[in-house]
Amino acid sequence: VQLVESGGGLVHSWGSLRLTCAASWLTFENFSLLWFRPAPGKERVVVARISRSGGATWYGDSVKGRFTISREIAKSTVYLQMHSLKPEDTAVYYCAADVGYSLKGEDMNYWGKGTLVTVST
């Protein structure tokens, strides 16, 4: 199984980026997909989650209203559209796949290697 993230880069404050996570060797529709990033003093924390069907989404308070998660089952791909980026959004963003309903990193079944997002002032 592979989850490969892309789309990270350097952007100015208030700018936008779209992250992509492409899955392979995975029955994509059997997994919820999540985006995580490290938080100060913490392990990776979930930023956004999308259900197997794509019909339900969840967002962390710090990104609610600015980030949108979506998935394209035919392409086995999940996206994270990020708007109004802030310097505090700077992080490596990781894609994860979960057969269950968790928001905890330790429960994830598969991880990507991450893509770096840097937001300058």
Side-chain angles (χ1 to χ4, degrees):
V1 173
Q2 270 194 319
L3 298 176
V4 180
E5 302 95 333
S6 62
L10 175 64
V11 63
H12 292 297
S13 291
W14 300 106
S16 299
L17 279 176
R18 188 177 80 157
L19 305 184
T20 298
C21 174
S24 57
W25 301 105
L26 181 78
T27 306
F28 190 70
E29 56 268 31
N30 288 350
F31 291 82
S32 299
L33 278 300
L34 299 89
W35 287 95
F36 285 79
R37 70 187 185 189
K42 298 182 180 180
E43 296 291 325
R44 301 169 189 177
V45 295
V46 62
V47 171
R49 176 187 180 276
I50 189 165
S51 63
R52 294 180 184 88
S53 67
T57 56
W58 181 95
Y59 296 95
D61 288 341
S62 63
V63 306
K64 205 172 292 183
R66 301 187 297 123
F67 291 9
T68 302
I69 189 171
S70 61
R71 65 190 293 167
E72 194 169 354
I73 292 177
K75 293 187 177 181
S76 296
T77 299
V78 61
Y79 305 98
L80 185 67
Q81 179 68 56
M82 306 185 292
H83 293 298
S84 302
L85 284 162
K86 306 174 182 180
E88 52 263 43
D89 294 317
T90 294
V92 177
Y93 286 73
Y94 298 90
C95 174
D98 176 31
V99 294
Y101 302 91
S102 180
L103 295 175
K104 298 179 180 179
E106 60 262 36
D107 295 332
M108 298 298 106
N109 297 98
Y110 302 105
W111 288 94
K113 294 185 177 180
T115 185
L116 175 62
V117 172
T118 303
V119 184
S120 64
T121 55

